[in-house]
Amino acid sequence: MNRITDKILHGMLILMIGLSFYLTYLIWVSPASHETSLEESLGNNRTEETSLKTKEEVFLPLKLRYQKEDTNQETQNEALLKAIQKELHQTTYSEGEVTTYSKQSDYQRATTMTSGMELFYAFSFPFNTYLELFDLSIPLVDDQEKTAAFSSVQVDFEEGKIRFLNNQELTVVEATLEDNLSNFSSEIEYANVKWVPLEKTRTFLENHYLTKDTLELKKYSYISSTQPYTMFRDAFFSNPKSVRSNSSVFDTYLYEGGNSLTIKQDQEIIQFQGQANTTRPFDIFLTSFDSIKKIGASYGSTRVIDQLDNAIDYRTFVEGFPIFGENHEAQIAFDFKESNESSAVRVTIQANLNSLQIPIPSEESVVLPSSQEVIETLYYKGLDTTLVESLLIGYQWKNLEDTGVVDLIPNWYIKYDNQWYRYEALFQLLAEEEEEAPNGF
């Protein structure tokens, strides 16, 4: 019996050695540029499709201001924003009217309220796209006026009005809410939210609501992991089953037709170039959402934070706060280019394979100055207040070298001259500009 067992073990050992040599041959002798069909190589081991992201979660506002008489406070709480957006969806509205004011004073008078809420975006949102995304029905007197855009949504509890505000163009789209507004106030009053007190300013940043006290926020730590590039392949390619691969020592290339996806292994950055995947006329929000909705839940809460011209930026949010990284961490950035030769729209998409996975318990916190102090400090460094578009709390992605651990550090982020800056980075930029100015001006 022992002889038979020895022979079996001996035979298995020979097979394993032979298999080892064969695999070594495939790795080292087979050409690096060997092409394979990804569908064939993955076989039945392809990851199962995750649930699609919804428009309601991806296009949420960034923050909410709640006003009750002379008291103002704000929050970036994601659960409350979702609840309010749901109420907006379920409400019926009268016919809307668009008004553009010639004087700032008239605009301020028309948009001043004593009780209500205001939802903020950091970009100009086309009104007709917003209605489609959130399935709202607000008929306008003139359909051409649907081209109006806004950056905040105001619900006036006392007047029973909803207003879509464009502070740059002094334009207001206004309609009457035909349902009881008690659901909105109930959602706000009973929400489990840590509110931040606000004051309306008339100096430095006129007619903005800023925090007046220091803020203490938690510092988060996570173990990060590399997502399979198949997740991005399935989201960005219109025919992922036809995609083929071509690998080099440092990079992996996926391609199908005129579309390509490059995975830079050393930086863990991906770049897609090709034709925008859409079945409808081009709209930067709807077209980019066609890809974003397919990104798995493992990449975190993904929401739009910014849009300008042909570019739109989506970021991962944690506890309602956007994450900012230096190498496209927690970011999916789209840049579109319409072709003059055909109706096709070309797109470049950049992202990072890393995502946050396992939270590490931490008791650390960071104390931030008030946003009033931030603006005042930057003002005396040369800040042009007319270029300040938005101000909110975000988290800086900081890799701890060779550990796989990511620290998320809270800070103020300012959208200034169409670009997001961390508070200290904007201060440094203004200081350098001050030094370069002739005669100190």
Side-chain angles (χ1 to χ4, degrees), residues 319-334:
E319 301 293 336
F321 301 101
I323 300 174
F324 294 84
E326 295 182 355
N327 294 302
H328 297 289
E329 292 100 344
Q331 179 187 31
I332 304 177
F334 293 75

Side-chain angles (χ1 to χ4, degrees), residues 36-54:
T36 60
S37 165
L38 287 179
E39 184 67 19
E40 293 172 1
S41 65
L42 290 170
N44 295 324
N45 293 324
R46 293 184 62 193
T47 56
E48 296 181 3
E49 281 192 28
T50 56
S51 58
L52 300 180
K53 293 184 180 296
T54 66

Side-chain angles (χ1 to χ4, degrees), residues 34-298:
H34 180 66
E35 298 180 359
T36 60
S37 165
L38 287 179
E39 184 67 19
E40 293 172 1
S41 65
L42 290 170
N44 295 324
N45 293 324
R46 293 184 62 193
T47 56
E48 296 181 3
E49 281 192 28
T50 56
S51 58
L52 300 180
K53 293 184 180 296
T54 66
K55 292 177 285 190
E56 288 77 12
E57 63 180 313
V58 170
F59 293 98
L60 277 181
L62 298 177
K63 58 182 179 179
L64 178 151
R65 175 177 68 87
Y66 176 46
Q67 180 174 346
K68 194 173 183 180
E69 296 180 351
D70 294 330
T71 302
N72 283 277
Q73 49 193 357
E74 76 175 9
T75 181
Q76 293 178 219
N77 183 275
E78 200 165 75
L80 178 58
L81 290 169
K82 287 180 180 179
I84 293 299
Q85 191 61 61
K86 182 179 179 181
E87 291 296 336
L88 288 173
H89 169 70
Q90 295 175 344
T91 300
T92 55
Y93 305 90
S94 71
E95 194 171 69
E97 293 184 1
V98 180
T99 305
T100 299
Y101 295 88
S102 58
K103 295 180 180 179
Q104 179 74 35
S105 57
D106 293 338
Y107 175 79
Q108 289 297 330
R109 204 163 23 247
T111 58
T112 296
M113 62 183 182
T114 58
S115 177
M117 64 179 182
E118 193 166 354
L119 306 164
F120 294 90
Y121 292 93
F123 52 88
S124 188
F125 212 146
F127 185 66
N128 56 343
T129 300
Y130 179 85
L131 294 180
E132 182 172 351
L133 283 169
F134 289 111
D135 193 23
L136 297 181
S137 178
I138 304 180
L140 291 177
V141 175
D142 185 349
D143 282 344
Q144 291 182 348
E145 293 178 330
K146 288 186 178 181
T147 57
F150 65 93
S151 58
S152 67
V153 183
Q154 189 182 87
V155 179
D156 189 326
F157 293 167
E158 187 173 338
E159 297 290 332
K161 302 283 188 179
I162 186 170
R163 303 185 186 102
F164 299 84
L165 310 182
N166 187 319
N167 295 327
Q168 281 70 45
E169 298 180 4
L170 306 183
T171 298
V172 180
V173 179
E174 183 179 84
T176 300
L177 290 88
E178 298 183 338
D179 298 322
N180 193 317
L181 299 182
S182 60
N183 287 344
F184 290 106
S185 53
S186 295
E187 289 287 359
I188 293 174
E189 292 288 349
Y190 296 108
N192 183 21
V193 171
K194 183 178 180 181
W195 291 97
V196 178
L198 297 173
E199 280 188 349
K200 190 172 185 178
T201 65
R202 288 177 172 79
T203 57
F204 305 118
L205 206 57
E206 189 176 2
N207 294 319
H208 278 68
Y209 291 86
L210 301 177
T211 63
K212 58 182 179 178
D213 302 317
T214 58
L215 299 171
E216 185 174 353
L217 287 99
K218 287 180 62 177
K219 175 182 170 183
Y220 296 101
S221 294
Y222 282 83
I223 295 175
S224 66
S225 67
T226 303
Q227 291 294 319
Y229 56 72
T230 53
M231 179 179 74
F232 296 100
R233 176 204 65 185
D234 293 348
F236 299 159
F237 285 95
S238 56
N239 297 301
K241 292 184 178 182
S242 302
V243 173
R244 303 181 72 82
S245 70
N246 187 331
S247 299
S248 67
V249 176
F250 300 107
D251 301 329
T252 298
Y253 304 94
L254 312 182
Y255 55 93
E256 183 268 328
N259 304 324
S260 66
L261 180 67
T262 303
I263 300 101
K264 298 183 180 299
Q265 305 291 359
D266 55 338
Q267 299 172 304
E268 296 182 314
I269 291 176
I270 66 169
Q271 183 181 83
F272 174 87
Q273 291 184 312
Q275 184 172 329
N277 180 12
T278 183
T279 57
R280 60 170 71 87
F282 175 70
D283 176 287
I284 193 166
F285 295 91
L286 296 168
T287 300
S288 58
F289 176 70
D290 284 342
S291 294
I292 288 292
K293 69 181 180 183
K294 301 174 187 175
I295 298 295
S298 58

Side-chain angles (χ1 to χ4, degrees), residues 306-323:
D306 206 3
Q307 186 272 321
L308 180 65
D309 297 330
N310 291 322
I312 189 167
D313 186 9
Y314 294 81
R315 290 187 181 271
T316 300
F317 281 63
V318 58
E319 301 293 336
F321 301 101
I323 300 174

